[in-house]
Amino acid sequence: AAGPAGVALGPDGNLYISSQFTNSIVKFNLASKSLSTFIPSSVLQPIATANGDTQFAPAGLQFGPDGNLYVTLNGGQSATSGGAVVRFGITAGGNGLAYSGTSAAVATGLIQPSGLTFGTAAGDTSSLYVSNSGADDVIKVSNASSLAPTSSTFVTVASGGMNFPSGLSWGPDGKFYVVDLGATSFQGNVLQFNSDG
């Protein structure tokens, strides 16, 4: 992987890594210790172009409760628009997981989105939370695995001094944690929010 920006454990027990500099998703097979292309640039690049970005620059990725792979279209460090979250159809067969050839944007209008995490509370597991890094907020995508997902602001712009949110996680305490890179303040933090943002 060149410019790895995100990693997710697949339902098959292998690691999936976003390779920003090659605009691809790669698979690291833990048993054989081998790296292979899972979703190539030839799939990601046309999606980036359609969103007005010169590159996809995949960042965060997560397997959803539906078994599909959700990836943030970051667009790269110079992107000022065109960010999205794309759901890639995944099939499981005798040879393991494979990209099915289908994709759909579940959230658009983002700026350099990076981290992703699904809700963990009862009734919230189909909600996808996205760090909208370039806009300094966190977006909640309700019903992310459905045909009609809806986006809303979950953590408002610059809440808690947030300046380029990146990694996201729900804690065992039910609180929401955000890794804040402090891009212009040069003061990184981990911020804790209540379950309602």
Side-chain angles (χ1 to χ4, degrees):
V7 64
L9 181 64
D12 59 354
N14 292 312
L15 293 178
Y16 292 81
I17 305 161
S18 54
S19 179
Q20 284 203 320
F21 300 156
T22 61
N23 281 318
S24 63
I25 306 299
V26 297
K27 176 174 98 172
F28 182 72
N29 184 306
L30 289 170
S32 66
K33 306 284 190 257
S34 62
L35 202 60
S36 61
T37 300
F38 185 65
I39 303 177
S41 176
S42 60
V43 169
L44 298 188
Q45 196 55 45
I47 296 170
T49 302
N51 278 273
D53 286 313
T54 57
Q55 59 180 340
F56 195 108
L61 67 168
Q62 285 286 312
F63 283 90
D66 56 0
N68 292 318
L69 183 61
Y70 293 76
V71 181
T72 53
L73 188 172
N74 179 275
Q77 290 183 349
S78 62
T80 56
S81 65
V85 178
V86 180
R87 176 178 61 224
F88 292 94
I90 302 298
T91 56
N95 293 329
L97 299 181
Y99 169 54
S100 71
T102 63
S103 65
V106 299
T108 57
L110 307 176
I111 305 172
Q112 294 183 30
S114 55
L116 292 175
T117 192
F118 276 89
T120 56
D124 195 43
T125 56
S126 67
S127 295
L128 181 61
Y129 297 83
V130 185
S131 54
N132 191 17
S133 303
D136 295 330
D137 63 1
V138 176
I139 302 300
K140 176 181 179 178
V141 182
S142 299
N143 302 309
S145 59
S146 75
L147 293 176
T150 56
S151 298
S152 60
T153 301
F154 182 66
V155 177
T156 57
V157 171
S159 183
M162 198 163 54
N163 178 229
F164 214 81
S166 182
L168 305 175
S169 183
W170 283 99
D173 56 1
K175 305 280 189 187
F176 188 69
Y177 292 87
V178 178
V179 174
D180 173 30
L181 297 183
T184 58
S185 66
F186 304 107
Q187 180 66 48
N189 293 291
V190 174
L191 304 173
Q192 178 195 66
F193 294 94
N194 291 327
S195 60
D196 60 358

